[in-house]
Amino acid sequence: MGIVMMIVGIALAFGVMLFLNKTEKIKKDVATLFIASFLVALVLEIFTFNYTTYENIGQSLKKSESVITYDALGVKSSNEDYIVSKEINDENITFTAEINNINSKVNNIFVEPSEYMESVKVFVDYKDEVLSEYTPISDTDINVTPNRENTQYIRLHLAGKTSALKIRLESDKKDLSSGSLKVGVNQDIPFRFKAWRMILVCLIFFALALIYRYRTLDYAGEKSKKVRRIAIASLLVVQVLFLYFLAYAQMKPNDGFLFKDPKTSTVNSYDQYQKLAIAFTKGQTHLDGINDSAALSEKKQLDVLKGLKDPYKPVERDKVIKDNATTYEWDYAYNDGHYYTYYGPVPVIFTFLPVYVLTGMMPTTRLITFIFAVIISLLVCLLVHNIAKRRKLNMWTVIGVMAASLSTIFLTSVFYGAKIYELSPLGGLVCIFAGLNLVYEGVHRKAKNTLYLSLGALAFALAVGCKASYLLASIVVLPLILNFLASKGRSEKKNKIVKYFANIFCKENIKTIVAVAVPYAVIGILLMVYNYVRFGSPFDFGVAHQLTVYDTSYFKLTSISKLPTVIQNGLLRLPKTSANFPFIELADTEIVYHGYLFAMAGIGVFAYPFIWAFVGVPITVKHSLKGSKDKAFVIASAIMALVLCYTTIVMGGSSFRYSIDFGWAFVIPSIFVIFAIEGWARKKGVLRQALLGIFVVLLATIIINILVTMSSGFSGFTETRPDIYYDVYNTVMFWK
């Protein structure tokens, strides 16, 4: 009966969609379009997604259940057919229920864990009419969480009659002194109306219907203005909710999301940026000496490090530290008896510091990470808008490129840790995308160009104050600025190169040149003073002073032997596929040292189909951008994308979160190539076919990004919020 109901649901949904397509009124009326989409989602929710509810109807099944209680004296079962036991080892606690005398077809088993268990891994062995010895069911991805009903009914897909089952429930909670849990066989699966699933399906169908309804609108046309604004606003709302979900789901229930109160939380629990904010209020740049309760232990650590000939040699450092029965601050910078951070101070100055000074409360790094990610999302969409508004493009191509761009800058990777490691580059990206928008708009405007270029330069200079390697980001917009200045000159020099630079440095441009140079000079001087105070050199950002696994002085940009690793891990590394949700996984997490270069779980930028457009840069530059102001911009961004990928991996290694340093640069040329493909298709009369291909590529990119965020190699959900992860898992895997 279950399969019948699934088919009925699909048939009814198909009927509604067919009616939708055939009825002229529905085609034109948006409200009726939404009602039809709602009906499709409702039908699928009632029949298809809940088809297991009807599975026991019309079948003669033996049903049984047992309440298993446990305490210090042992384990008891309320059903004599259930033989139960408990075993505790170093890693977990295991409850076993052996169920005899079943002699019936088994559709499902029911497991209700103790409320004190965060999640339970379930292993099932069975005997049947053929197998006289217990044989394990091969599915090892069965997890149950308390208070999540849809995870507690497990379909076994066994053929014939089962004579006995052995169910093992494994929990990593070892301090379960007493409690109870339930186990059952062939229970009726309750109807589970998942409102969020129905709403999501409804919105997907409604979005697809709207895209089809307004498929011919031009992005910059007057007719599209209202629909365009609604579509972009909807995209941003979905993006913000998605980012919040990631931030929330990878946070343990007792962790604060907004602020840490210094009265109830110790300074020792703060990360480097939070400590730096306090240090600045004390008039210092080092991170030690801000917590009186830790002063003695810090002094002992620093005295030991100061006595080392080379504190940056990990083997020598760790041995001496251990011999002196002390420790040291991991991944801090150390110099001349003080701890520092080698991450740029700009994110602290604009977030943690003012909030702490004004309120006395310390924002959490996760909160600032979320805020930065939201700002970046707005700026990415604005950049695509600024590029698209001067071109004749299909509206949905532009909206799709916005969504795909958000998916391919590795923005979601920052929520797994949400620490200083993620916040520093994220702050830099805020500045970079602000700078990109300001400079791009500045060179294309008819007025106020100097103001926009100056503000853009300030943003790019501040990016360096977040992460030193982002100095290279300025090169991306340098051709835009230089070509803009050159267009203002009137030199009559015959030599093209001489004429070009003469036009740039003509007297009409002096004001603009100064306006662009001053922000770099001011921020640069401030950073050099900051570096000199800490490390005695204006050009020393502290990277070589790291107290980490390896001595970073071994890193060399000239290590071209690492180029194959760069290509493999940074560009071409593909995710693994899986039959279970989320269907794709990051490549295995492994730390492999090759001359102090490590590779961790991740994917390359070309794992996203949208970035495949990057290979079309030469053709686009040669044909579509010939004579355009954007030509040099696209070339520079393409070159810098490869340079940033190389420098990031050679100097730091390969990790999923490191991709945020260079992923953004691959997005820029890809945007122009996609737009060029549409322009070519318009001329050739194959626009409809091209749009379909673009839509598939962009949609695949968005789906891959969503699934990657749920993969075990990236997501911490299974540890921080297993209840959320396995609820989502079983809601999506409704057929399992």
Side-chain angles (χ1 to χ4, degrees), residues 267 274-292 353 356-357:
V267 175
Q274 292 171 321
K275 290 182 179 179
L276 186 60
I278 299 174
F280 282 160
T281 64
K282 294 180 177 292
Q284 64 185 54
T285 58
H286 53 269
L287 306 183
D288 50 280
I290 63 172
N291 184 10
D292 293 337
L353 182 60
Y356 179 71
V357 170

Side-chain angles (χ1 to χ4, degrees), residues 346-347 372 376 422-434 459-460 462-467 470 473 664:
V346 167
F372 279 2
I376 291 170
E422 290 81 21
L423 190 55
S424 172
L426 207 61
L429 273 194
V430 171
C431 299
I432 287 172
F433 276 108
F460 277 107
L462 288 172
V464 184
C466 297
K467 195 167 184 179
Y470 281 160
W664 64 271

Side-chain angles (χ1 to χ4, degrees), residues 565 568-569 573 588-594 596-602 649 652-656:
T565 304
Q568 161 62 19
N569 292 320
R573 199 174 193 188
D588 292 337
T589 301
E590 60 175 5
I591 300 179
V592 182
Y593 287 87
H594 298 294
Y596 296 95
L597 174 71
F598 68 88
M600 297 178 70
I649 295 178
S654 174
S655 174
F656 190 54

Side-chain angles (χ1 to χ4, degrees), residues 409-518:
I409 58 175
F410 295 88
L411 189 60
T412 54
S413 67
V414 300
F415 287 108
Y416 178 62
K419 297 179 181 178
I420 188 173
Y421 309 104
E422 290 81 21
L423 190 55
S424 172
L426 207 61
L429 273 194
V430 171
C431 299
I432 287 172
F433 276 108
L436 285 170
N437 277 289
L438 288 164
V439 172
Y440 190 84
E441 188 67 11
V443 301
H444 287 86
R445 288 176 65 88
K446 294 181 179 179
K448 297 184 179 180
N449 310 86
T450 299
L451 175 63
Y452 275 77
L453 294 180
S454 181
L455 291 174
L458 176 62
F460 277 107
L462 288 172
V464 184
C466 297
K467 195 167 184 179
S469 61
Y470 281 160
L471 178 61
L472 296 173
S474 297
I475 299 176
V476 172
V477 294
L478 185 61
L480 277 176
I481 297 173
L482 293 179
N483 288 342
F484 169 76
L485 294 173
S487 67
K488 301 297 181 182
R490 297 291 183 269
S491 173
E492 297 181 357
K493 302 286 185 180
K494 293 183 178 180
N495 185 288
K496 290 184 178 180
I497 296 177
V498 174
K499 181 180 180 180
Y500 181 76
F501 284 99
N503 284 333
I504 290 174
F505 294 103
C506 66
K507 63 180 182 179
E508 291 84 0
N509 288 333
I510 297 300
K511 179 182 176 181
T512 304
I513 293 172
V514 171
V516 171
V518 166

Side-chain angles (χ1 to χ4, degrees), residues 184-205:
V185 176
N186 285 330
Q187 301 297 298
D188 291 331
I189 299 177
F191 182 83
R192 299 184 297 267
F193 186 88
K194 302 293 288 188
W196 72 265
R197 178 171 57 192
M198 198 201 79
I199 292 171
L200 182 61
V201 172
C202 173
L203 292 177
I204 290 173
F205 274 98

Side-chain angles (χ1 to χ4, degrees), residues 113 123 662 677:
F123 301 90
F662 54 83
I677 290 173

